[in-house]
Amino acid sequence: MRVKILGSAAGGGFPQWNCSCANCRRLREGKFKGTARTQAQLAWSSAPGQWTLLNASPDLRFQIEATPELWPQEGTRHSPIRDVIVPSAEVDQMLGLLLLREFHSFRIHTTPSIRRILTEDNSMFGVLARFAGQVCWNDIPLDQPFCAGGARLEVLSLSGSFPGFVSSARLAELNPAEAVIGLLISPELGGGMLAFLPGAACVSDALLERLQTCDVVLFDGTFWSDEEPSFIPGVTRTARQMGHLPVSGSGGSLERLAALRRARKIYVHINNTNPILDEESMEQRMVRDAGWEVAWDGMEMTL
Ligand SMILES: [Zn+2]
């Protein structure tokens, strides 16, 4: 099973259109040692010519064009994309669905709560229901493994919350456990296991134990420190309050996941303000010295 990281940045990407933090500014000036990154997006293939998307990022059109395996392979209208997994209703994880509206049939796998937010509260998603069978919505069960795109998937419950745009009336009807899900992914016919956790506010002992069985852990690399978001104008919450365990500090992911010896550990969903993007920074050196990798667009692995 081939897995490709098509996008490795957090919401907004790197550089972010309205940001002139030290990272974004220096990247635009050509003075930054490191690469631009699109918003978090994964894809995997278990069979030739068949691909599954994990996340549906706002950069999806660009990410597909940057990946020849995802180009049309046969006829005048075709796409190897058969399945899309949507792990939250946040804009940077679902907006890309609207970019797949050109009369292509595919399956969307998500929780019932996320499906209701998208299809019942946002009439724009009618662009995916223009003909019978355009999109087939499959509910992801929280309590048992399920199959999609030639892989076996298991939900890791995370303590995330629904997006701020969801009305309080709707929130009252939804299951909070279905707001944000992490996933364990392995080939249906055996092979390694990958954990996808781009938004994790904490690591419970149970989660840590589960990750010990993984071969690859793609973990929340949004912020370096808990207070990093407070330097962003308009943001008043800490990293943890935003649902992202910081990399550094007491109880941060570097410390909390130090016990993970088996897995290849990779930070994904990296915010443009995070100093680990800078290949010459002390922070990136600390991460590398601790055995971590920093994801980049186009990174590929085999399970
Ligand atoms: Zn920035």
Side-chain angles (χ1 to χ4, degrees):
M1 179 168 152
R2 286 176 68 198
V3 180
K4 289 193 88 163
I5 298 178
L6 309 185
S8 51
F14 176 52
Q16 178 176 313
W17 71 281
N18 64 342
C19 187
S20 59
C21 71
N23 285 349
C24 291
R25 180 174 41 77
R26 287 187 299 133
L27 185 80
R28 291 192 182 99
E29 291 171 351
K31 296 173 182 168
F32 187 82
K33 185 79 170 29
T35 56
R37 284 167 168 84
T38 59
Q39 295 169 92
Q41 180 67 48
L42 249 72
W44 77 72
S45 175
S46 311
Q50 298 179 19
W51 284 82
T52 299
L53 301 179
L54 175 51
N55 262 13
S57 100
D59 295 321
L60 194 52
R61 185 189 157 276
F62 175 79
Q63 290 162 336
I64 290 171
E65 286 309 310
T67 312
E69 297 96 318
L70 297 180
W71 296 352
Q73 311 287 325
E74 52 198 61
T76 51
R77 280 293 171 98
H78 171 263
S79 169
I81 297 167
R82 303 247 184 133
D83 297 89
V84 184
I85 318 277
V86 181
S88 96
E90 291 292 347
V91 167
D92 55 320
Q93 297 198 283
M94 62 73 169
L95 192 71
L97 288 174
L98 297 174
L99 309 179
L100 303 177
R101 68 191 182 281
E102 279 91 10
F103 295 98
H104 172 63
S105 293
F106 60 100
R107 289 175 290 263
I108 299 174
H109 308 262
T110 193
T111 66
S113 294
I114 296 171
R115 171 175 49 78
R116 293 186 67 190
I117 293 168
L118 301 187
T119 61
E120 296 176 21
D121 297 347
N122 292 277
S123 58
M124 203 183 290
F125 278 82
V127 297
L128 298 178
R130 290 191 285 176
F131 63 92
Q134 182 178 1
V135 157
C136 174
W137 293 83
N138 291 6
D139 285 348
I140 291 179
L142 297 187
D143 53 353
Q144 60 188 46
F146 66 102
C147 291
R152 179 183 180 277
L153 294 100
E154 206 177 310
V155 171
L156 294 170
S157 49
L158 301 171
S159 56
S161 48
F162 289 104
F165 66 77
V166 179
S167 71
S168 49
R170 174 62 78 190
L171 282 178
E173 299 175 351
L174 302 177
N175 177 359
E178 295 181 355
V180 183
I181 56 168
L183 290 163
L184 292 175
I185 305 157
S186 53
E188 249 180 304
L189 301 173
M193 186 181 284
L194 175 146
F196 181 65
L197 296 160
C202 61
V203 177
S204 66
D205 290 343
L207 176 59
L208 188 59
E209 199 174 309
R210 205 70 191 84
L211 296 180
Q212 293 286 10
T213 63
C214 292
D215 301 276
V216 181
V217 173
L218 300 179
F219 195 81
D220 189 337
T222 313
F223 297 113
W224 171 254
S225 67
D226 203 29
E227 56 277 7
E228 185 179 326
S230 66
F231 301 118
I232 304 170
V235 179
T236 53
R237 293 179 298 170
T238 65
R240 281 183 175 83
Q241 286 167 350
M242 292 174 77
H244 298 291
L245 185 67
V247 173
S248 68
S250 175
S253 54
L254 272 184
E255 183 184 295
R256 192 69 182 116
L257 298 181
L260 276 190
R261 298 265 174 234
R262 178 162 176 253
R264 182 177 171 189
K265 298 186 279 192
I266 305 171
Y267 280 120
V268 290
H269 197 268
I270 307 151
N271 198 60
N272 58 78
T273 53
N274 192 329
I276 66 171
L277 289 170
D278 183 344
E279 292 166 13
E280 293 174 329
S281 68
M282 174 199 71
E283 289 85 352
Q284 186 178 111
R285 201 167 56 243
M286 282 173 68
V287 161
R288 290 187 175 280
D289 288 350
W292 285 80
E293 295 167 71
V294 179
W296 41 275
D297 293 12
M299 200 175 194
E300 189 169 343
M301 56 208 73
T302 306
L303 285 181

